[in-house]
Amino acid sequence: VHGDKFEIKMALSSSKELSKQQDQHLDEINIIASGFLNSANNINKQIDEQQKVLSDTEQDMNKARDKMNFVMNKLSLLLKSTDTGLLCTVIILLGIFILLLMLVLGTQTINSTYPPTIPVPYTHLRAHETLRYLVCRLLLEKK
């Protein structure tokens, strides 16, 4: 009888310990699941933001398409015209546009090859000062 009680107490104690470990594991799983839920919510917010950006881009593309259709219709009317002076004017203006575009892109390429200018300290400028400039600077400072 005494041995049975001891075994029952041991089994009960073991069962309580096992239940306590399971509760700890469930708490850990709950924390992990909460982390997954937060991550899923963040991903959902990002997807919603991206959807808005895509929607705005689609609207912009539709506006640009409508403008291009308008220009194409006007251009087709122009090309159907038999007025040679008008056609020559359009060709000359197109050539000027292409030339200006090449100049703008060319200057951007030239400017991008040089390093950006950065301010240098006054002492750095003084280190490169020649005798002639030193005399000029001293005369100017005297005034």
Side-chain angles (χ1 to χ4, degrees), residues 10 12 16 19 21-22 25 27 31 64 74 97 110 124:
M10 288 300 289
L12 185 60
K16 285 182 181 180
S19 176
Q21 287 177 356
Q22 287 176 345
H25 290 314
D27 289 341
I31 291 170
K74 292 294 182 181
F97 174 74
I110 290 170
H124 177 80

Side-chain angles (χ1 to χ4, degrees), residues 105-119:
L105 293 177
T107 57
Q108 287 178 352
T109 305
I110 290 170
N111 289 338
S112 66
T113 58
Y114 293 109
T117 57
I118 54 173

Side-chain angles (χ1 to χ4, degrees), residues 78-92:
L78 177 68
L79 291 176
K80 289 178 184 175
S81 173
T82 57
D83 186 7
T84 56
L86 184 63
L87 290 176
C88 288
T89 304
V90 169
I91 291 172
I92 290 170

Side-chain angles (χ1 to χ4, degrees), residues 84-139:
T84 56
L86 184 63
L87 290 176
C88 288
T89 304
V90 169
I91 291 172
I92 290 170
L93 288 175
L94 183 62
I96 292 171
F97 174 74
I98 291 172
L99 178 67
L100 289 174
L101 188 63
M102 288 173 36
L103 287 173
V104 167
L105 293 177
T107 57
Q108 287 178 352
T109 305
I110 290 170
N111 289 338
S112 66
T113 58
Y114 293 109
T117 57
I118 54 173
V120 293
Y122 181 68
T123 53
H124 177 80
L125 294 175
R126 295 276 307 273
H128 294 284
E129 195 169 51
T130 63
L131 182 59
R132 180 177 168 199
Y133 291 122
L134 175 63
V135 170
C136 290
R137 184 177 56 82
L138 291 175
L139 287 173

